[in-house]
Amino acid sequence: MLLQTTPRKVILAIIAVLLLVTTGKDWYDFAQCGAVDHCIASALGLQLYTKSAISLLVTVLAFMVSAQAFSPRDRRFLRIAFVCSLLGDFSFSLFRALTPPEYVTTSDVLGILFFMAFLAVLIHRHSRTSETDLYCHNVYWRLLGTITAVAIILYALGAFSIMVAMVLAYAFYIVTSTVVGAIAPFKGYYPAKNALFVRWGMITFFVGDVLVGLSMISGADHSAMETISAIANNFIWWFYVPAQLMLIKSCTRLEN
């Protein structure tokens, strides 16, 4: 169980405290700045460190909990996925906090790439049909490979900036991963309760990514668009963290 041992309870408690601190600072900045993007962005220092700490603790929890995985191979894929997500979060937060402002685009590109890897691993994890299934299901990999190639070509031709190309490619990855996670585990070797955690973990993660998309919308200061962006940003981690915890839970032995 996720809350079975004292160390896990302590980690979850620390995550909860850090999440509350992050949320409190987010809303304090919003109250002080209003819907002004550059003002809110300049006040993000604390949140970048607390989010990095949360990501690290969630990854540690994934390694601890997966020791009681219902499947050795599922444990392996879960751990690989969470290492990718940790590197992605570090790119968005810690890397950004420790490097000059001109490296913001670099941190965003790295973060998206690591999360694309995270989603690709989850697609393989959730579409497996048996413990010995090592087959990389061609329908998914061909789709993702085609999407990635198209994004690279469009960027090379100058049709899009690198960030637009990356975001468009990522959008296809998250949609594919959510659909696979919501459907495939019920047709494979996942126990029923585990499959439910996969489904709702991926759906919750998708909602978090929708909020990320809304947070990227820009508009005039104090405009409705900028307000939606700021508010969406403040709710992202309230979906992201539960999604990660549900995916961790989906790896464990559960009574059905």
Side-chain angles (χ1 to χ4, degrees), residues 170-182:
Y170 180 83
F172 282 97
Y173 272 68
I174 183 60
V175 169
T176 303
S177 186
T178 303
V179 171
V180 171

Side-chain angles (χ1 to χ4, degrees), residues 24-25 29 77 93 121 130 147 167 175 186:
K25 183 63 163 58
D29 294 340
F77 286 121
S93 52
V121 173
S130 71
I147 291 165
V167 169
V175 169
F186 291 91

Side-chain angles (χ1 to χ4, degrees), residues 6-252:
T6 299
R8 296 176 192 176
K9 292 179 182 179
V10 171
I11 290 175
L12 284 169
I14 296 172
I15 290 172
V17 170
L18 289 172
L19 187 57
L20 289 172
V21 170
T22 300
T23 303
K25 183 63 163 58
D26 281 336
W27 286 106
Y28 173 80
D29 294 340
F30 180 73
Q32 292 296 306
C33 295
V36 180
D37 179 65
H38 69 84
C39 178
I40 293 176
S42 65
L44 281 178
L46 174 66
Q47 295 94 312
L48 295 179
Y49 290 107
T50 55
K51 289 173 181 177
S52 296
I54 291 172
S55 298
L56 178 60
L57 289 171
V58 168
T59 304
V60 170
L61 194 63
F63 274 74
M64 291 175 63
V65 172
S66 62
Q68 286 80 45
F70 76 92
S71 154
R73 292 193 187 278
D74 193 64
R75 173 176 60 237
R76 186 180 308 163
F77 286 121
L78 183 84
R79 289 178 173 181
I80 292 171
F82 271 79
V83 169
C84 291
S85 70
L86 175 64
L87 293 173
D89 280 330
F90 274 6
S91 298
F92 285 128
S93 52
L94 195 60
F95 182 85
R96 179 173 294 183
L98 298 176
T99 55
E102 56 265 28
Y103 288 97
V104 168
T105 300
T106 302
S107 70
D108 289 342
V109 169
L110 285 174
I112 293 172
L113 283 173
F114 281 124
F115 271 104
M116 287 170 69
F118 167 75
L119 294 173
V121 173
L122 289 184
I123 288 170
H124 180 58
R125 178 196 180 218
H126 300 156
S127 61
R128 294 171 67 236
T129 57
S130 71
E131 179 61 13
T132 58
D133 182 9
L134 298 177
Y135 176 64
C136 294
H137 299 269
N138 286 338
V139 63
Y140 304 125
W141 297 110
R142 287 175 181 172
L143 175 62
L144 297 182
T146 300
I147 291 165
T148 304
V150 169
I152 292 172
I153 292 170
L154 290 174
Y155 167 66
L157 293 174
F160 296 115
S161 68
I162 187 168
M163 276 305 300
V164 172
M166 295 289 293
V167 169
L168 289 175
Y170 180 83
F172 282 97
Y173 272 68
I174 183 60
V175 169
T176 303
S177 186
T178 303
V179 171
V180 171
I183 298 173
F186 291 91
K187 299 179 180 179
Y189 80 117
Y190 279 90
K193 286 186 179 180
N194 297 71
L196 281 173
F197 276 108
V198 170
R199 168 179 286 178
W200 289 110
M202 289 310 306
I203 290 174
T204 305
F205 193 90
F206 177 80
V207 174
D209 270 344
V210 170
L211 292 174
V212 171
L214 290 174
S215 72
M216 296 172 65
I217 296 172
S218 60
D221 290 348
H222 304 293
S223 66
M225 193 74 72
E226 197 64 43
T227 301
I228 291 172
S229 173
I231 293 175
N233 178 74
N234 291 358
F235 281 105
I236 292 171
W237 281 68
W238 285 95
F239 286 87
Y240 177 68
V241 174
Q244 296 281 59
L245 294 179
M246 282 188 275
L247 289 174
I248 293 171
K249 186 73 171 177
S250 71
C251 183
T252 61

